[in-house]
């Protein structure tokens, strides 16, 4: 049987049947010195003909998603789930940092990811939920650091202030678009996106980035849209008309 390939920011590890592989601040894959991350958080094992992912932490949740972004499962502390897809995306957050790891049971495979494309009216449909282009830009500004890590790795999620500056928007506009996205996803059953003061607001950004990246709501191919929006708003401000707000 082929080993399980663990890919974190291009750092590859191979888990053989009969081996226990630990991910955390310490372990077989020591991914960060983040004090919010458990020393031992994720355990990879093989049993019953399948590789399994177990959350051995005490506080943090992890999420596994198929590479198409069509199925997403949450792993609470103590829970485990089998890896039934050739490639599975493992994501989690700790503090202000989001992490993404690829788990593959095949060394190579031909795969073309499913894309969510903008419709002629400037909207995109994700399942039953429709988003405007500006709403997706708000998500993209938050997810940019993680998307620029070439698909795997870790990145600190920007503050709402920094994300608004990246787009050339006012904080009021950015906050409104972020609220709209979170409200739509909350109505669609995505948890953890209800806004609130203090740390709840930070948690909402983290949860949104994790969800958006793993479900392909935004991808690295969308990143040029950020530069286009920032340039358009810079030109508008230089001409004295202020940032665009057309949707």
């Amino acid at each position: 049987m082929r080993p399980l390939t663990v890919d974190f920011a291009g750092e590859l590890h191979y888990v053989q049947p009969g081996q226990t592989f630990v991910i955390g601040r310490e372990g077989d894959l020591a991914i960060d010195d983040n004090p919010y991350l458990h020393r031992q958080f994720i355990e990879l094992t093989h049993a019953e003909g399948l590789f399994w992912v177990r959350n051995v932490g005490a506080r943090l949740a992890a999420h596994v998603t198929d590479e198409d972004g069509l199925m997403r499962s949450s792993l609470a502390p103590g829970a485990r789930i089998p890896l039934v897809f050739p490639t599975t995306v493992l994501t989690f957050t700790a503090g202000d940092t989001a992490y993404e790891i690829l788990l593959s049971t095949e060394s190579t495979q031909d795969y073309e990811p499913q894309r969510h494309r903008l419709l002629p009216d400037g909207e995109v449909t994700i399942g039953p939920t429709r988003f405007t282009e500006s709403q997706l830009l708000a998500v993209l500004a938050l997810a940019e650091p993680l998307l620029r890590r070439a698909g795997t790795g870790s990145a600190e999620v920007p503050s709402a202030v920094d994300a608004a500056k990246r787009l050339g928007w006012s904080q009021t506009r950015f906050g409104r678009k972020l609220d709209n996205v979170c409200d739509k996803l909350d109505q669609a059953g995505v948890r953890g996106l209800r806004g609130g003061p203090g740390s709840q607001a930070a948690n909402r950004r983290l949860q949104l980035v994790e969800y958006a990246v793993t479900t392909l709501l935004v991808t690295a191919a969308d990143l040029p849209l950020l530069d286009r929006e920032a340039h358009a708003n810079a030109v508008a401000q230089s001409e004295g008309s202020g940032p665009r707000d057309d949707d």
Side-chain angles (χ1 to χ4, degrees):
M1 183 174 180
R2 291 182 177 180
L4 174 68
T5 302
V6 180
D7 181 350
F8 177 69
E11 177 183 342
L12 301 180
H13 298 263
Y14 302 94
V15 184
Q16 302 289 342
Q19 177 185 1
T20 297
F21 188 90
V22 176
I23 300 172
R25 268 167 45 210
E26 301 174 358
D28 301 288
L29 174 55
I31 60 176
D32 207 341
D33 59 359
N34 184 344
Y36 295 97
L37 182 63
H38 296 302
R39 285 186 173 84
Q40 296 187 340
F41 178 43
I42 298 296
E43 187 178 87
L44 304 174
T45 58
H46 184 270
E48 304 170 21
L50 294 169
F51 284 100
W52 293 75
V53 181
R54 182 191 296 274
N55 183 344
V56 295
R59 304 182 316 278
L60 303 177
H63 303 277
V64 292
T65 312
D66 70 292
E67 197 174 18
D68 292 328
L70 300 177
M71 192 204 79
R72 187 174 189 258
S73 298
S74 297
L75 278 175
R80 73 167 187 160
I81 191 171
L83 299 177
V84 297
F85 299 104
T87 299
T88 299
V89 183
L90 170 68
T91 58
F92 50 91
T93 60
D96 291 332
T97 305
Y99 299 87
E100 183 180 49
I101 299 173
L102 294 185
L103 306 174
S104 177
T105 56
E106 297 182 0
S107 57
T108 59
Q109 63 175 339
D110 294 327
Y111 174 74
E112 173 115 12
Q114 171 178 306
R115 295 288 294 122
H116 302 299
R117 299 188 181 278
L118 286 174
L119 302 176
D121 58 3
E123 293 188 334
V124 69
T125 300
I126 308 298
T129 309
R130 293 167 69 91
F131 299 92
T132 66
E133 182 176 359
S134 63
Q135 289 167 356
L136 290 177
L137 281 168
V139 178
L140 191 59
L142 292 174
E144 180 181 17
L146 188 60
L147 292 174
R148 291 199 184 280
R149 295 300 299 266
T152 63
S154 63
E156 186 171 342
V157 176
S159 67
V161 173
D162 289 338
K165 288 180 179 178
R166 174 70 174 95
L167 292 163
W169 292 359
S170 68
Q171 289 182 241
T172 300
R173 184 189 183 198
F174 181 84
R176 185 172 72 249
K177 301 303 180 183
L178 185 60
D179 286 341
N180 292 340
V181 170
C182 290
D183 286 345
K184 287 182 178 182
L185 290 175
D186 181 76
Q187 292 171 11
V190 181
R191 297 181 178 180
L193 299 180
R194 284 289 186 184
S199 63
Q200 292 183 5
N203 289 339
R204 179 172 72 153
R205 295 197 312 276
L206 288 163
Q207 292 293 329
L208 178 58
V209 167
E210 187 178 27
Y211 177 84
V213 170
T214 57
T215 60
L216 306 183
L217 177 57
V218 292
T219 72
D222 299 318
L223 289 172
L225 296 176
L226 287 175
D227 293 327
R228 186 189 73 182
E229 179 70 11
H231 176 71
N233 286 319
V235 170
Q237 289 179 2
S238 68
E239 294 175 348
S241 58
R244 301 176 304 153
D245 192 359
D246 49 8
D247 51 36

